[in-house]
Amino acid sequence: MKWNARDATVFFNEKEYIDTVCIPLVPIAFEGDGKTAANESEFIDLVTRAIEKQFKGRILLLPPFIYFRSSEEELSRLFDYWENYIENGYFKHIIFITSNPFWQKVINGNYKVIWLPSIPLEHLDESTKLRVINNQAEQVIDHIIHHWQEVERRNNLQKK
Amino acid sequence: MSKEKQSGKEKQDISRRQFLSYSIMGVGGFMAAATVMPMLRMAIDPVLKAEASGDFIATNVKVDEITTEPQRVDFNFEQKDGWYESTVTQTAWVYKDENGEIVALSPICKHLGCTVSWNSSDNYPDKFYCPCHKGVYDKDGTNVPGTPPRGPLDRYQYQINDGVLYLSRRASEVGGE
């Protein structure tokens, strides 16, 4: 599901099935490595769309969370919000998708951070781009399925 | 318009002022039409185009390559939404049934719209399996009772031209099977 008017109707009706929220982390920079940041944004945007297509009925894909590279340290606050949502049982799984290895260090707790090194897209033609993105997305898809199974297994063990 | 001017001179019943205001109105009218017409066209356009949407799209699959084992077929077409042009990629699971009829199933799970795939789970061999909520479908797309899906998988219509498989842009529901 996407965070838009049409999907929101389904989301609120079928809430018990949509237990995973996916947040793309997208960098903005207007000096220095701005071009890299723009490429990362496009890359993450395309990969998360492909993932949403695969898992439409279980994942809610939120609009990307935009951060300035210069203020990464302040962003730990973001996670406090999400911590609440997990503790309240609103979502079972929270997945951040990023091209920046920094996030893996920051996030620890009930989150899943999927880090994907971004691929330069500037000179790729459309069909190559589509293939590259689908390949990347497939890896993430396997990752997510594995994560779901892992958490389910852990919960079953706890119940016993 | 120069004719008008001449006739105005002869009869003296149209003043210079009137002539100018008429010609401004005339030119203004053309200008207004020039801006309004494309807008009208844009508004009516989707209605006029609706008929063409039933077209069949060529896939890269030859009919003799299709076996009884479902294979994944991706096909693309351009779609225009107002100003936004996009390439739509559709996926179908294509195989020949026991009568040699081609079946092209949509991979969209009838539960909440995840993408199902053939033979992807060890627990459900030779079934379509949805990894989101463990929906299971038989090879012909029938949903297995007791799993979340609420109906059988949609089917694409197909055509064969020069031995190549063509599929409809959208899959349609299988009624009451």
Side-chain angles (χ1 to χ4, degrees), chain B residues 47-103:
Chain B
V47 183
L48 299 176
K49 263 193 187 161
E51 274 182 4
S53 68
D55 287 356
F56 285 80
I57 309 297
T59 64
N60 54 3
V61 173
K62 294 204 177 78
V63 173
D64 10 316
E65 288 169 358
I66 300 171
T67 61
T68 52
E69 183 71 11
Q71 56 172 312
R72 191 191 158 121
V73 176
D74 290 327
F75 58 106
N76 303 315
F77 56 88
E78 299 296 323
Q79 184 173 278
K80 229 177 176 178
D81 276 326
W83 289 266
Y84 187 69
E85 265 184 67
S86 57
T87 308
V88 179
T89 306
Q90 294 281 48
T91 304
W93 287 97
V94 177
Y95 67 93
K96 280 183 184 151
D97 67 11
E98 56 272 27
N99 306 323
E101 277 289 306
I102 292 171
V103 177

Side-chain angles (χ1 to χ4, degrees), chain A residues 65-87:
Chain A
F65 181 81
I66 291 163
Y67 64 94
F68 287 88
R69 295 196 147 179
S70 48
S71 63
E72 278 164 353
E73 288 75 15
E74 296 170 23
L75 290 168
S76 314
R77 241 179 290 154
L78 166 72
F79 305 121
D80 296 340
Y81 284 107
W82 288 112
E83 191 80 60
N84 280 337
Y85 281 112
I86 300 185
E87 279 168 8

Side-chain angles (χ1 to χ4, degrees), chain A residues 43 119 121 124 127-137:
Chain A
F43 177 75
I119 291 167
L121 300 169
L124 298 183
S127 62
T128 322
K129 203 194 258 185
L130 198 71
R131 216 179 51 234
V132 167
I133 294 293
N134 280 339
N135 278 341
Q136 293 292 315

Side-chain angles (χ1 to χ4, degrees), chain B residues 31-174:
Chain B
M31 280 166 65
T35 47
V36 170
M37 286 308 283
M39 287 201 275
L40 274 179
R41 241 194 76 101
M42 186 87 74
I44 300 174
D45 205 35
V47 183
L48 299 176
K49 263 193 187 161
E51 274 182 4
S53 68
D55 287 356
F56 285 80
I57 309 297
T59 64
N60 54 3
V61 173
K62 294 204 177 78
V63 173
D64 10 316
E65 288 169 358
I66 300 171
T67 61
T68 52
E69 183 71 11
Q71 56 172 312
R72 191 191 158 121
V73 176
D74 290 327
F75 58 106
N76 303 315
F77 56 88
E78 299 296 323
Q79 184 173 278
K80 229 177 176 178
D81 276 326
W83 289 266
Y84 187 69
E85 265 184 67
S86 57
T87 308
V88 179
T89 306
Q90 294 281 48
T91 304
W93 287 97
V94 177
Y95 67 93
K96 280 183 184 151
D97 67 11
E98 56 272 27
N99 306 323
E101 277 289 306
I102 292 171
V103 177
L105 293 172
S106 157
I108 306 299
C109 182
K110 295 297 276 184
H111 177 218
L112 287 172
C114 294
T115 306
V116 304
S117 48
W118 174 251
N119 223 347
S120 63
S121 168
D122 297 338
N123 298 334
Y124 301 101
D126 294 337
K127 302 269 182 201
F128 289 101
Y129 177 70
C130 175
C132 284
H133 305 103
K134 300 175 185 167
V136 183
Y137 301 86
D138 288 327
K139 187 178 175 183
D140 66 354
T142 315
N143 51 314
V144 173
T147 66
R150 297 151 193 177
L153 292 171
D154 291 349
R155 288 186 185 208
Y156 291 97
Q157 285 161 307
Y158 71 92
Q159 278 181 356
I160 299 163
N161 292 327
D162 295 331
V164 174
L165 179 72
Y166 283 63
L167 293 175
S168 54
R169 284 169 191 246
R170 305 273 174 232
S172 41
E173 284 200 21
V174 182

